[in-house]
């Protein structure tokens, strides 16, 4: 039985079936459309030069600082580096799979502004049994990393 992610009907039982027992998953067509609409809106606002927190501005105390196009690219790169850093033993596969399911389900709401390819890749990874190694101790939001980036690019 394939479990459909629509952003509102994911239960604990369905999450366990996918994460622990490899149940297949798909994205509801309406959810994919919501993701596409939100991404298009984000791209339109960027093209129009609108200021959007955390997209083309700094974050936290630098939220009033608008970034140049080059700074936006660098910011996005460092954001990925920051989220990809970790130490310690790998998290259990079912925990990582559950996180992928949860993230895809949040994307299905259509409010994240992500590219549809990201969500569809998560779905494909889950269905093909591809699970990234995620360390149990991460540095998401690590203040030193953010300060280093801010010093170089925002101030």
């Amino acid at each position: 039985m394939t479990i459909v992610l629509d952003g509102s009907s994911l239960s604990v039982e369905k999450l366990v079936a996918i994460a622990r027992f490899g149940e297949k998953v798909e994205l509801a067509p309406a959810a994919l459309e919501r993701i596409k609409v939100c991404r298009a809106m984000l791209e339109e606002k960027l093209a129009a030069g609108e200021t959007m927190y955390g997209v083309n501005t700094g974050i936290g105390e630098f939220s009033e600082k608008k970034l140049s196009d080059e700074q936006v690219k660098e910011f996005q790169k460092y954001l990925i580096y920051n989220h990809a850093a970790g130490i310690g033993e790998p998290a259990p596969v079912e925990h990582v799979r559950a996180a992928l399911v949860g993230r895809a389900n949040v994307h299905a709401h259509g409010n994240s502004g992500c590219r549809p390819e990201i969500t569809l890749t998560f779905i494909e990874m889950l269905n093909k049994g591809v699970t990234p190694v995620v360390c149990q101790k991460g540095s998401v939001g690590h203040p030193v990393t953010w300060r280093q980036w801010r010093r170089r690019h925002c101030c």
Side-chain angles (χ1 to χ4, degrees):
M1 173 182 118
T2 300
I3 296 172
V4 179
L5 297 180
D6 61 7
S8 61
S9 64
L10 181 64
S11 65
V12 171
E13 293 79 16
K14 290 177 184 177
L15 180 69
V16 169
I18 299 165
R20 189 175 291 164
F21 301 113
E23 194 69 49
K24 297 297 182 193
V25 62
E26 69 182 46
L27 189 62
L32 180 59
E33 187 58 30
R34 286 191 298 270
I35 293 168
K36 288 178 179 179
V37 167
C38 185
R39 180 61 187 202
M41 179 203 61
L42 176 77
E43 290 179 7
E44 287 171 17
K45 288 178 177 282
L46 281 172
E50 289 189 39
T51 301
M52 291 177 288
Y53 174 78
V55 177
N56 60 359
T57 71
I59 57 174
E61 64 190 79
F62 295 100
S63 62
E64 300 297 316
K65 168 77 170 146
K66 189 164 182 183
L67 305 174
S68 69
D69 290 343
E70 186 58 37
Q71 288 174 319
V72 168
K73 289 178 187 176
E74 286 294 306
F75 177 74
Q76 294 298 316
K77 182 173 72 175
Y78 282 102
L79 189 63
I80 290 171
Y81 289 167
N82 190 44
H83 284 69
I87 60 171
E89 294 297 314
V93 168
E94 68 185 61
H95 294 189
V96 178
R97 288 178 56 80
L100 285 169
V101 173
R103 193 80 240 145
N105 194 59
V106 167
H107 290 177
H109 289 124
N111 299 317
S112 298
C114 66
R115 292 180 301 121
E117 294 84 357
I118 293 170
T119 312
L120 294 172
T121 298
F122 287 175
I123 300 290
E124 189 174 1
M125 289 171 66
L126 289 162
N127 288 336
K128 291 185 176 181
V130 176
T131 306
V133 174
V134 176
C135 297
Q136 290 188 13
K137 296 179 183 177
S139 64
V140 174
H142 190 277
V144 173
T145 304
W146 287 116
R147 272 192 227 113
Q148 288 171 343
W149 189 88
R150 287 179 189 146
R151 280 189 197 117
R152 276 189 233 133
H153 301 288
C154 288
C155 308

